[in-house]
Amino acid sequence: MRQSNLFAPTLRETPAEAEIVSHQLMLRAGMIRKSAAGVYTYLPLAQRVLKKIMTIIREEMDREGGQELALPIIQPAEIWKESGRWDVYGAEMFRLEDRHQREFCLGPTHEEIVTTIVKGDVRSYRDLPLRLYQIQNKYRDEIRPRFGLMRGREFIMKDLYSFDVDEAGLDESYQAMYRAYTKVFTRCGLTFRAVEADSGAIGGNVSQEFMVLAENGEALIVYCDSCDYAANIEKATSDVKVEGAGPVRELEKTATPNQKTIDEVAAFLKIKPEQTIKTLFYGTDQGYVAVLVRGDDQVNEIKLGNLVGGNKLYLASPEEIHQQFGLPVGFVGPIGLIPEIKIFGDNLVKEMHQAVVGANQEGYHFINVEPSRDFPAITYADLRTVKPGEQCPRCQGRLCSARGIEVGQIFMLGDKYSKALGATFLDAQGQSRFMIMGCYGIGVSRTMAAAIEQHYDENGIKWPISIAPFQVHLIAVSAAQLPVAEDLYRKLNDAGIEVLLDDRDERPGVKFKDADLIGIPIRITVGPKGLAQDEVEVKYRQNGAEERWPLDEVVAKVKEYLANAGI
Ligand code: ATP
Ligand code: MG
């Protein structure tokens, strides 16, 4: 490709609307342009990178028995109603009606439609397992589309669905996808980690996310410093011991005038926040519920949502609770709380002794609280968010934290969708059984952005060679060197090497600046100094290393470099 023909409008200035590096650099390098919030056009350079990522994905899916198909983007509402997700998906789903007022959606994910297809044509255990995938645009009306391609409303996803005869088959499919994902992200040149994950609206109970480690990641993960435990903070657990057993004392009400927050109460009573119990209220489909966590802890709303079920979950303000039930702001607690409010407590609360809770009376708290004695009728579960530094749930190690970008997620679904949609097969004994499913997604456009978050410097992108838009950026310093550059360009192309030839009538400084910005891994400069000795100047974008190559060895040298990189 000649750069004089390339549609890659580079920008000198960093666009103000772009908050993170990948978004800024993709705009500046002329890779993407915004059409609407969370909706982007991929210009030719981006399209080339995306195609490379997709090729890697296709190779690894096919290697593990995947078969590519193309499911429709427009999906009828009926199948979503059958699975029960028409309502669950809520405002995130783009919905539309046809001219006959029939309801449809733009696919945010494809479990329903693929299950319907497989159910229609698979009868026997002999037809299974099946691993079907596609690479396609997905549509989600995200509440906060942001960070460019990271969180779009239209984005590219690879989604694979596995159908097996039993759990053992699902296990194999899941392991196959774990292997494939590990290969895909390794081949894309990314530093990543697989972590235990919550399954969210997709369902099932075993799930892992593949996280690209990056400061700008929206996800927080924790990992053990001595074993291989790693989990999304949404899912993570830890082993925390409650200290100081102490004697059991009689429950006592004590005046705490104007001491409303945990910190105020703890300071006033000269105790640690760890000795207090925080009572929060959430609005849910089943009305208000109260949630108890230790004073220094945060409620993990994902865990809470999984426990209470339904679609609605929001933290109700103390004022709302005061208006609804007349409870005093800042002095609420589980003892003698109105019976219509169901109480959930975090497991740690159960272990506490001599604790402090609000007395449901303005200006008072209870002290010497023993949860099992003073509010026995509540439901306990793991409801807290773990903190870095706590003990690993699996060993004696400590939990550390890091930020990550979720580029993929794999799920064991079991029979959730096959049951809801009636996807059965006949086993060897002629018995009808539900297919056992898994689903596996990769954010293709997000992966491109994540690669930039891991590979850039102050001058621009530093593409890993496997997904770079071109392998070689060939620069003719001025018109005088163009004939030699053209000759090299032809030879490199003939050898199957992907070259971008900067044949533009621009100053060398401009060419080098654009080259750094676009980030092609091998820069070969044909300039007067080198040519005097029949040499070209080579600079590697990844590490800045410079070399000189004899003109007649350029093709062989590039080939050698690519071979060493496994390409
Ligand atoms: P998130 O938690 O980031 O919203 P998700 O868990 O809802 O993502 P999945 O349903 O697991 O997403 O989708 C599979 C993959 O698609 C994700 O791992 C992610 O890489 C990508 N993805 C999801 N939502 C978006 C989005 N809005 N923009 C770009 N990529 C996305
Ligand atoms: Mg996910």
Side-chain angles (χ1 to χ4, degrees), residues 209 406 409 411:
E209 287 163 335
E406 181 200 324
Q409 187 166 9
F411 301 80

Side-chain angles (χ1 to χ4, degrees), residues 100 193 296 306 387 390 447 459 531:
H100 308 293
R193 187 147 196 172
D296 60 322
N306 288 339
K387 298 182 195 130
E390 289 174 356
T447 297
N459 298 318
L531 274 194

